[in-house]
Amino acid sequence: MQGKRIEEHFIDVEPYYRVQGQELTIALAAHQHTIPLLLKGPTGSGKSRFMQYLAWKLRRPLITVSCHDDLSTSDLVGRYLIRGGETVWLDGPLTLAVRHGGICYLDEIVEARKDTTVVIHPLADDRRELPIEKKGEILSAPPEFMLALSYNPGYQSVVKDLKPSTRQRFIALELTYPSPDIEAEIVQHEAGVSRQEADKLVRLAEMTRCLEDAGLQEGASTRLLIHAGTLIKSGIPPRQACKVTISEPLSDDHELVAAIDEMISSLY
Amino acid sequence: MPSSAEQTILARVTAIIPESELNSWEQEELVECLAPLSGHQQELILHQIAVIWPVSHSLCLAFLEAAEPALACLDPEQFAAWVRAILHCYEAQGLQEARRFMADLESHFICTLKGQSGLLLSTIKKRLDLYLRGVAGRPFVLAEATLPGTDTATIFLPRNCTFFDEDDANFLVYKLIASLQWAFVRVNLYCQEVPNEQELFRKMTQPGSGPKDEAVFLNRFFKLFARPDRAMAIYHFLQTFSALCFLQKKLPGLMADSTVYFQSVAAEGAATMEPQSLLAGEYGFLLEQLSHNRPLELPPGPWRRLCHPASWDDSGQILLDTARIYALWEEKPDQEVASPPWFQGTLQVEAAHARRLARRQEVEQQFIEALAIRILPALARKKEAALAPGATPADTPQQADSAADLSLRLPTPQNEPEETGPDHNQVVRHIRLDDEKIGLDSKLQELGREIMDDLGHLPQLYLDSAEKMAAGRSYAPHIQTAGPEGEPLLGTSLYDEWDFRRQGFRHNWCRLLEKEIQPCGGTFIATALKEQRGVIKQLKRQFEQMRSHHRFVGRQRDGDDIDLDALTEAVADQRAGLPPSERLFVRQLRDQRDIAALFLVDISSSTEGWVGKAIKEALLVMAEAMESLGDRYAIYGFSGMRRTRSEVFRVKEMDEPYTETVQGRIAALSPKEYTRMGPPIRHFSKMLATVEARVRLLIILTDGKPEDYDDYKGEYAIEDTRHALVETKNSGIHPFCITLDTKAPEYISHLFGAANYLVIDDVKKLPRRLPDMYRLLTS
Ligand SMILES: Nc1ncnc2c1ncn2[C@@H]1O[C@H](COP(=O)(O)OP(=O)(O)OP(=O)(O)O)[C@@H](O)[C@H]1O
Ligand SMILES: [Mg+2]
């Protein structure tokens, strides 16, 4: 990520994104009015894809950071490096995006530590500035710059939650699983399977999503359906394809996996 | 005068069962049953009586009758297993079922022992339940019965399946019959009232016939006919056809897998069914298609001509079709109706009706409660406005004690021309309270829709009840939400209890109520804080040092900052012509504590002295210290009486801030009843298991052994507590005990394990020892 030039972050080819509702209109409005965006939704519900599409639509570079426990402020803002005995400053992804009026997308923001998340505060309110402490510099974000965060409320434990002071700076969009029709369309497009095949996969996904009250952490996402479809398309028998792409990845609980296998064999 | 042999037996019996619990009639009966047996048999049975008697006296007496024949064919070990199975059956299904189980020793138990029971429902219930939940999109209760069937909420399945030799094949049978029952529910097996009933019935029979006094619609329909059983058989056949078609469409894989099963059923049917009997050919025709997994069609001839499966969702069509076939059968008065294939199951018309009424009540209740909560703020506002000084005095009295002049109404096209009335789209989106429009949330809308689907309209009565309920609450919220003891009830749960004598659980044996303590004022807190000032100050300092902290490590390849020392060195090296080091950074590392602790305090009556003062002081000191440490913690008290009322009292929830209210609740702790430890341990283990933390602690403060008013005493109580603690450890939680019982060393390490407890001989030391112990435990 670091060291990539800004040009490389532009998206040239239109990504496939199937609009589900008002999300695009709202995101475009948010960009226009320089309000940051918070995407909520379960895994594989199209958050990353949506950001790619938005960046393409706005013709802005998209800089994505996957957040994790050890992500430090320097990882976001930048740091000095030693090159050939000299110290050189290297912009972090956030600074890079601010400088060039890009879109900075912080994926799974709750994974980052609280002391890291605070650097985005001045950037996310109407000040729109990024203090670079080490250089004693304050960068002002141009109007094209956009900050976007994503998180998955499903995993949200009491330990990992966004602070209200962070939350309340954003416009929040919820991207849940699409309606069956749209989801089948996406699977059909992405995996290249027939509509009938896609419908069946979506039905299976809905069945697994019903197990969320019964101990399954999260039901099958659109992403898993695409994997299953892709394998089926390549000639792997459907029951087997669904087992390796759906029931096994979803859980290690023996009974849950067995129950999902039974659903698969009832459908195929 | 009882013989001496009988007196010996009586002595043995009373050694097991306290005489106070046994009336003379029961004594006699016990002795009578035991007297004819050999000494060895008596011993075996007496041993089991000790297990069964505390669970249920009637069960025990029933057991005595069945025990002798059972002993004739079971060895002692099998006998014990049989008793366990009886108890299990009793707890799951009640006395009736347990009696049946005992009576049917041969098929219910000996088969299992001999391995002839095929696949037992109990072994696959979990998987089947999950499967069905996914497929149906909602949970069904799975229960045992002789024949498959459903009342639309429960699906009944046989106890075991012996159709095939292999378990997998038998599982498929279970899966098929369970899926079929679900399909029945989906295709509306129990046709409900139609609006134009009389008109519909007139089309089928001569005017005037048919019973009027029958409560259940479907039964009214069957009884229109001279031979209701025939009508029922036809109706069930049509519904089976419909449900199987549905399955072919929805679960094609299942139907493909089931062909082997259908082939065997077809072969069996061909062998056993009287070919001339009514429906024999029709079922044969269905099975033939199913055996080859061909798309189902109705039998050729009159069936296809007379029936219209495509319009069966229309109310009444399937009934009309039934009547048509029935008319056709009038020419064959002497023929029997064939018994249908077993997998079809039975119709449970009354049960389904009862279920529907129960659901109607449930929905009514939920709707009223949710609506009452919804309108509460608006209602309160109106009351306040009415009582405000500016209000005209004449208005005030009525408005204060009745809500009669405020009225809750459904929107109607008249009072709201711009709205689509409820009848148009079947969804009520808002209601009116006087002139105010109140929107309904999605839950209320959903309930409203269910009511309209069921009754055809939303009764004004529901709205009136909601209004009354809300009015009651807005006047006296405390009375409405408080339990009988005054503490507001936060929730109830059921827990199993371990019975060491049978080495098994008593299922759902204990009911635990979670309550909130009303904080009390007074000077206790201020005084205690002052008295313990020194201790608190010292502890705060100690605890502060244990906090999560960040530390820096230098000379890393990359990091958050430059390591100046290393850099200077490297520059120097370079100047000196040496290759400079590349380890020039400092990295910040965190030592994260990430601990969650739950303090569970025994407030049984025996703690009278210590709950009085020392324990409250200790909790206060502990809480003060915890605040400077930053660990997450919760405080609960527990007590109770008998298995139906184990109580836990919330002082501080896990992430609740430590406020004056919490202090007030600590001050309000007071001694209550007995010490049944199992349920609160299980309850809080479950709660802690959902808390995400590296270390989870369950710290129990008590003054003695677990003991309750009933038979929760001695070894039984110790063993249940021990088992609960084992369950706790297994779920990754560390239990720890602080006890004031100086006799504790005799049993406590058996309960908690060698290093997991602390005995304090003087309660005054507690405020100091509790935090010390915590510090040791977590650093
Ligand atoms: N609305 C959509 N239009 C097009 N493709 C979609 C859509 N929703 C999901 N997908 C497909 O699902 C896949 C997973 O989506 P994506 O990676 O955007 O999920 P995500 O929400 O970012 O998940 P995570 O939280 O796990 O990062 C995408 O690769 C894409 O193929
Ligand atoms: Mg993503």
Side-chain angles (χ1 to χ4, degrees):
Chain A
M1 156 77 47
Q2 278 186 23
K4 242 182 160 185
R5 290 175 312 135
I6 191 70
E7 291 76 21
E8 298 168 43
H9 291 287
F10 279 96
I11 295 165
D12 305 321
V13 187
E14 173 174 359
Y16 168 73
Y17 180 76
R18 171 64 166 87
V19 175
Q20 296 181 33
Q22 291 301 302
E23 72 270 27
L24 187 62
T25 327
I26 291 170
L28 290 173
H31 183 259
Q32 196 189 347
H33 299 288
T34 65
I35 307 173
L37 196 62
L38 175 65
L39 297 182
K40 302 197 276 187
T43 181
S45 59
K47 298 185 291 292
S48 301
R49 180 62 67 89
F50 175 67
M51 286 312 297
Q52 287 164 3
Y53 183 75
L54 186 67
W56 173 83
K57 189 104 189 157
L58 292 167
R59 316 217 173 276
R60 301 311 314 158
L62 174 69
I63 299 172
T64 303
V65 183
S66 303
C67 299
H68 51 82
D69 209 25
D70 266 341
L71 191 81
S72 67
T73 312
S74 315
D75 292 334
L76 282 178
V77 176
R79 57 164 50 96
Y80 282 106
L81 291 180
I82 308 276
R83 291 253 169 92
E86 297 276 305
T87 57
V88 284
W89 171 260
L90 192 76
D91 280 344
L94 187 58
T95 313
L96 196 68
V98 173
R99 267 194 223 286
H100 297 92
I103 299 177
C104 185
Y105 175 46
L106 304 178
D107 207 354
E108 282 299 339
I109 186 70
V110 283
E111 293 298 329
R113 294 195 317 257
K114 303 238 150 76
D115 56 321
T116 307
T117 11
V118 291
V119 300
I120 63 173
H121 280 190
L123 202 53
D125 55 32
D126 50 10
R127 287 173 279 171
R128 284 177 62 83
E129 47 195 33
L130 176 66
I132 309 180
E133 255 171 62
K134 284 190 188 156
K135 295 183 72 182
E137 189 182 332
I138 293 186
L139 269 189
S140 261
E144 302 81 47
F145 168 79
M146 183 181 211
L147 180 65
L149 312 184
S150 82
Y151 89 116
N152 180 347
Y155 300 150
Q156 179 190 326
S157 70
V158 253
V159 203
K160 290 177 179 169
D161 194 7
L162 278 183
K163 291 201 295 189
S165 60
T166 308
R167 249 168 208 285
Q168 293 198 8
R169 291 173 146 79
F170 291 80
I171 283 186
L173 276 180
E174 182 161 30
L175 289 185
T176 48
Y177 302 123
S179 66
D181 260 1
I182 295 180
E183 189 163 29
E185 199 181 312
I186 296 170
V187 174
Q188 191 183 0
H189 179 278
E190 295 283 276
V193 291
S194 69
R195 176 59 193 237
Q196 219 185 349
E197 201 67 65
D199 278 334
K200 229 180 207 183
L201 285 168
V202 170
R203 275 238 302 288
L204 178 58
E206 287 179 332
M207 289 182 183
T208 63
R209 288 167 198 166
C210 292
L211 295 184
E212 283 172 18
D213 303 328
L216 193 66
Q217 195 172 30
E218 225 163 66
S221 68
T222 315
R223 179 186 294 130
L224 288 191
L225 302 188
I226 295 169
H227 290 169
T230 311
L231 289 197
I232 293 174
K233 170 96 190 223
S234 74
I236 295 182
R239 286 188 182 187
Q240 199 184 342
C242 291
K243 181 164 179 60
V244 296
T245 56
I246 296 179
S247 52
E248 294 295 346
L250 277 183
S251 174
D252 296 324
D253 179 294
H254 185 74
E255 290 292 342
L256 280 169
V257 172
I260 299 171
D261 284 341
E262 293 300 341
M263 295 169 195
I264 295 169
S265 64
S266 277
L267 279 173
Y268 289 97
Chain B
M1 183 72 208
S3 70
S4 69
E6 279 174 353
Q7 272 180 339
T8 346
I9 296 172
L10 189 60
R12 296 278 292 118
V13 167
T14 44
I16 294 168
I17 306 168
E19 226 158 335
S20 59
E21 288 185 25
L22 202 61
N23 60 39
S24 61
W25 173 78
E26 286 168 331
Q27 274 180 14
E28 249 168 59
E29 182 156 348
L30 282 172
V31 173
E32 224 166 80
C33 283
L34 288 168
L37 304 177
S38 74
H40 177 63
Q41 285 179 325
Q42 285 177 0
E43 275 317 300
L44 281 173
I45 293 178
L46 279 167
H47 186 75
Q48 297 302 341
I49 288 181
V51 176
I52 304 177
W53 185 261
V55 177
S56 155
H57 300 191
S58 341
L59 180 69
C60 194
L61 293 173
F63 160 77
L64 270 174
E65 280 168 27
E68 198 208 332
L71 270 176
C73 55
L74 299 174
D75 67 27
E77 211 164 287
Q78 293 171 338
F79 186 67
W82 182 59
V83 172
R84 277 200 292 279
I86 294 171
L87 287 168
H88 188 84
C89 182
Y90 172 75
E91 274 151 19
Q93 289 164 297
L95 186 62
Q96 276 315 40
E97 210 44 49
R99 276 181 196 278
R100 209 164 299 146
F101 178 87
M102 287 189 269
D104 219 349
L105 182 65
E106 175 62 35
S107 73
H108 274 139
F109 194 70
I110 307 232
C111 289
T112 322
L113 283 181
K114 291 192 197 143
Q116 292 167 348
S117 61
L119 184 62
L120 286 171
L121 177 60
S122 54
T123 49
I124 52 116
K125 201 164 169 184
K126 174 94 191 291
R127 196 191 326 167
L128 199 61
D129 176 62
L130 290 169
Y131 160 78
L132 206 61
R133 185 185 283 253
V135 165
R138 67 164 173 122
F140 276 96
V141 178
L142 298 183
E144 282 179 14
T146 348
L147 278 176
T150 182
D151 67 358
T152 71
T154 304
I155 287 182
F156 298 95
L157 299 167
R159 202 181 142 264
N160 57 350
C161 177
T162 50
F163 200 86
F164 293 106
D165 289 336
E166 301 79 32
D167 282 353
D168 283 354
N170 283 330
F171 181 79
L172 184 65
V173 177
Y174 266 127
K175 187 171 144 183
L176 176 71
I177 52 179
S179 303
L180 181 63
Q181 291 304 324
W182 162 65
F184 274 133
V185 175
R186 286 296 305 270
V187 300
N188 196 9
L189 178 60
Y190 303 107
C191 202
Q192 272 143 31
E193 260 110 313
V194 290
N196 48 350
E197 179 175 323
Q198 288 314 316
E199 199 179 310
L200 182 79
F201 284 0
R202 230 169 304 153
K203 284 191 207 156
M204 303 179 199
T205 53
Q206 308 78 356
S209 71
K212 297 232 157 41
D213 53 347
E214 178 58 61
V216 185
F217 169 73
L218 211 48
N219 281 340
R220 279 203 295 281
F221 168 72
F222 293 140
K223 287 190 181 156
L224 279 178
F225 303 95
R227 299 167 77 169
D229 58 320
R230 281 188 167 197
M232 195 143 133
I234 298 167
Y235 177 80
H236 206 179
F237 175 82
L238 293 179
Q239 288 287 18
T240 302
F241 171 78
S242 175
L244 287 166
C245 289
F246 176 85
L247 283 185
Q248 281 193 333
K249 205 155 73 215
K250 295 287 176 184
L251 304 177
L254 174 67
M255 296 307 269
D257 282 350
S258 304
T259 48
V260 180
Y261 172 70
F262 288 127
Q263 279 158 20
S264 334
V265 176
E268 207 172 77
T272 57
M273 248 185 230
E274 174 61 49
Q276 290 311 308
S277 59
L278 295 167
L279 284 179
E282 282 79 1
Y283 276 114
F285 180 78
L286 279 196
L287 284 167
E288 168 68 14
Q289 297 171 82
L290 291 168
S291 302
H292 297 93
N293 199 20
R294 284 199 296 264
L296 277 185
E297 287 183 48
L298 279 172
W303 289 85
R304 274 187 218 172
R305 209 161 14 87
L306 297 174
C307 301
H308 308 79
S311 15
W312 280 349
D313 351 338
D314 288 3
S315 49
Q317 185 60 49
I318 195 166
L319 303 176
L320 283 172
D321 291 355
T322 304
R324 290 200 183 105
I325 299 290
Y326 181 91
L328 214 63
W329 283 5
E330 307 260 44
E331 299 158 16
K332 311 172 185 172
D334 301 326
Q335 272 166 28
E336 293 284 313
V337 180
S339 58
W342 168 87
F343 67 80
Q344 172 184 279
T346 56
L347 279 179
Q348 307 193 346
V349 179
E350 283 89 12
H353 184 70
R355 181 59 226 153
R356 190 164 159 236
L357 294 184
R359 177 68 196 156
R360 184 180 293 173
Q361 250 174 21
E362 251 167 63
V363 173
E364 175 181 341
Q365 207 49 42
Q366 284 176 14
F367 181 82
I368 291 173
E369 267 167 33
L371 185 59
I373 291 169
R374 184 76 193 82
I375 61 172
L376 195 56
L379 204 64
R381 233 180 303 119
K382 284 180 193 294
K383 295 275 157 61
E384 221 161 85
L387 290 173
T392 45
D395 285 352
T396 317
Q398 308 117 291
Q399 287 196 343
D401 46 45
S402 89
D405 51 346
L406 289 176
S407 70
L408 203 53
R409 295 261 164 265
L410 283 170
T412 59
Q414 291 88 49
N415 68 18
E416 225 144 298
E418 83 277 16
E419 292 290 330
T420 31
D423 332 79
H424 295 279
N425 53 5
Q426 290 281 298
V427 183
V428 186
R429 293 218 163 71
H430 66 267
I431 42 133
R432 294 192 148 262
L433 179 65
D434 258 10
D435 51 345
E436 197 175 331
K437 191 161 134 183
I438 298 178
L440 302 185
D441 56 25
S442 60
K443 182 178 173 220
L444 270 165
Q445 285 187 22
E446 206 176 283
L447 288 168
R449 161 162 232 142
E450 198 175 334
I451 295 168
M452 311 257 287
D453 282 350
D454 181 27
L455 301 176
H457 68 287
L458 216 162
Q460 176 66 36
L461 186 69
Y462 290 14
L463 303 188
D464 296 345
S465 310
E467 196 181 322
K468 254 191 229 123
M469 184 183 277
R473 276 198 197 164
S474 63
Y475 287 134
H478 297 298
I479 293 162
Q480 282 289 322
T481 51
E485 272 82 48
E487 292 101 355
L489 187 61
L490 301 169
T492 63
S493 351
L494 293 176
Y495 289 97
D496 294 351
E497 190 163 283
W498 179 255
D499 184 347
F500 78 103
R501 290 170 301 216
R502 71 163 119 144
Q503 289 295 300
F505 280 108
R506 294 174 162 193
H507 289 285
N508 288 339
W509 190 248
C510 303
R511 199 175 67 183
L512 181 136
L513 314 172
E514 186 170 335
K515 296 182 164 180
E516 191 179 272
I517 294 186
Q518 291 299 320
C520 76
T523 56
F524 173 80
I525 295 292
T527 322
L529 284 177
K530 207 162 142 201
E531 270 174 25
Q532 300 285 340
R533 206 172 30 201
V535 179
I536 292 175
K537 206 164 147 200
Q538 197 184 359
L539 281 172
K540 280 200 161 179
R541 212 168 37 237
Q542 284 175 348
F543 272 45
E544 215 148 329
Q545 282 166 8
M546 290 158 52
R547 283 185 84 103
S548 298
H549 54 260
H550 299 264
R551 83 194 138 87
F552 291 95
V553 282
R555 298 188 190 270
Q556 301 293 303
R557 275 189 200 281
D558 65 345
D560 311 298
D561 223 326
I562 296 197
D563 186 346
L564 270 180
D565 284 347
L567 183 62
T568 325
E569 227 176 274
V571 173
D573 284 352
Q574 196 187 25
R575 292 267 159 82
L578 296 169
S581 162
E582 282 172 0
R583 298 178 158 275
L584 301 175
F585 293 91
V586 209
R587 212 166 223 295
Q588 202 184 43
L589 293 184
R590 286 167 312 138
D591 296 324
Q592 182 69 273
R593 279 180 64 80
D594 198 11
I595 294 173
L598 195 145
F599 296 91
L600 184 56
V601 189
D602 180 354
I603 49 170
S604 58
S605 55
S606 58
T607 58
E608 190 90 51
W610 76 314
V611 164
K613 183 148 182 277
I615 181 65
K616 293 193 217 170
E617 277 178 3
L619 287 176
L620 198 63
V621 169
M622 192 67 215
E624 293 285 329
M626 289 299 268
E627 287 306 304
S628 58
L629 179 57
D631 284 2
R632 300 161 63 203
Y633 67 105
I635 303 173
Y636 287 84
F638 76 98
S639 179
M641 171 114 148
R642 295 181 184 271
R643 66 187 180 93
T644 50
R645 194 163 54 78
S646 222
E647 292 172 331
V648 296
F649 298 89
R650 190 179 81 195
V651 175
K652 177 185 173 300
E653 265 182 303
M654 191 54 83
D655 290 305
E656 187 176 348
Y658 174 62
T659 55
E660 272 177 28
T661 318
V662 172
Q663 290 183 338
R665 291 197 201 118
I666 293 178
L669 278 174
S670 60
K672 307 258 172 192
E673 291 153 289
Y674 291 82
T675 322
R676 198 182 198 97
M677 279 196 190
I681 292 176
R682 291 191 173 93
H683 182 70
F684 290 111
S685 302
K686 202 169 100 193
M687 180 186 282
L688 272 173
T690 66
V691 171
E692 216 169 286
R694 194 168 50 84
V695 179
R696 287 168 295 193
L697 289 167
L698 177 63
I699 299 165
I700 301 170
L701 290 93
T702 177
D703 70 333
K705 284 186 199 174
E707 189 173 53
D708 201 350
Y709 179 75
D710 53 16
D711 60 341
Y712 197 86
K713 299 189 169 63
E715 201 174 356
Y716 181 91
I718 296 262
E719 290 305 318
D720 172 58
T721 306
R722 177 180 149 80
H723 204 276
L725 288 165
V726 170
E727 294 158 38
T728 306
K729 282 180 214 158
N730 286 346
S731 52
I733 295 158
H734 302 279
F736 190 94
C737 178
I738 298 182
T739 178
L740 281 167
D741 184 1
T742 41
K743 290 202 222 65
E746 289 166 16
Y747 60 88
I748 193 103
S749 70
H750 177 62
L751 284 181
F752 284 83
N756 293 326
Y757 64 90
L758 180 72
V759 183
I760 297 180
D761 51 7
D762 179 2
V763 65
K764 287 203 221 64
K765 292 184 188 157
L766 192 67
R768 180 71 239 200
R769 298 294 299 274
L770 176 63
D772 275 351
M773 178 283 305
Y774 187 80
R775 195 159 56 91
L776 288 177
L777 212 56
T778 62
S779 52

